[in-house]
Each structure stands twice: as C-alpha cells, then as structure tokens.
Amino acid sequence: MSDRDFGIDIVVNGKPEHLKVHIDQPMERYVKEALERSGNSGQPPEQWELRDATGRILDASKTVGQSGIKKGAKLFLNLKAGVGGGRG
C-alpha cells in the first residue's frame, strides 16, 4: 500500500466500516461503499451527509485529498435533516 492508499473508518448508524481509500478518488465512491457494507439501502447516497470528527460537512464530490482526509480518519455518515419529512 502506497502513501496514496490508506485506511479510514466511516461510521454509519454507530457502526464503523473500515475502508481502503485512494487519495485521488472522490469521497462519494466511499460513501456508497460504506452504505452498501452497512446494509443502508433505504435512502440514496445523496440523502446522506458526510462529516469529519469536528462535525464539518465534507463535499462528497471532492477527492479524498481535496477533502484533507488522512490515514486513520474517522468520518460520520448521517441522513440529512428533513429527509423523509415531506418538506420542500
């Protein structure tokens, strides 16, 4: 594994999913992978927010490198506020 590939954890509904990521790949790829692994298929990936440990929302269209994600990072995936609430 090179310094451009490393492991991170994406926590979905309290359960961490350990993923190997590549610095030049978009985060949305790993959002989809974490949702698939955790069995969360009820809502599409666009309805989820990815946050870092400080609570900052990450843009999933950006690459791992652009997002500033480092080896061993723990990220959190939660449904966006209002999903399924009928607001619009």
Side-chain angles (χ1 to χ4, degrees):
M1 194 154 58
S2 75
D3 60 345
R4 300 180 72 73
D5 298 291
F6 50 87
I8 66 167
D9 289 318
I10 296 181
V11 179
V12 185
N13 291 334
K15 181 178 178 256
E17 298 294 338
H18 187 73
L19 305 175
K20 179 183 165 191
V21 298
H22 187 279
I23 201 162
D24 295 324
Q25 290 295 319
M27 286 304 302
E28 58 197 357
R29 172 182 178 168
Y30 304 112
V31 166
K32 289 177 186 174
E33 186 175 344
L35 289 172
E36 287 171 7
R37 285 189 185 191
S38 66
N40 283 279
S41 57
Q43 295 288 342
E46 303 80 42
Q47 297 299 322
W48 295 79
E49 283 180 336
L50 184 65
R51 295 179 182 262
D52 66 12
T54 68
R56 178 176 61 106
I57 296 175
L58 302 174
D59 181 347
S61 68
K62 291 187 176 180
T63 67
V64 172
Q66 289 170 329
S67 298
I69 305 304
K70 305 291 184 201
K71 178 180 179 179
K74 184 180 275 190
L75 307 178
F76 299 86
L77 198 53
N78 297 296
L79 277 171
K80 292 180 180 176
V83 170
R87 293 179 12 187

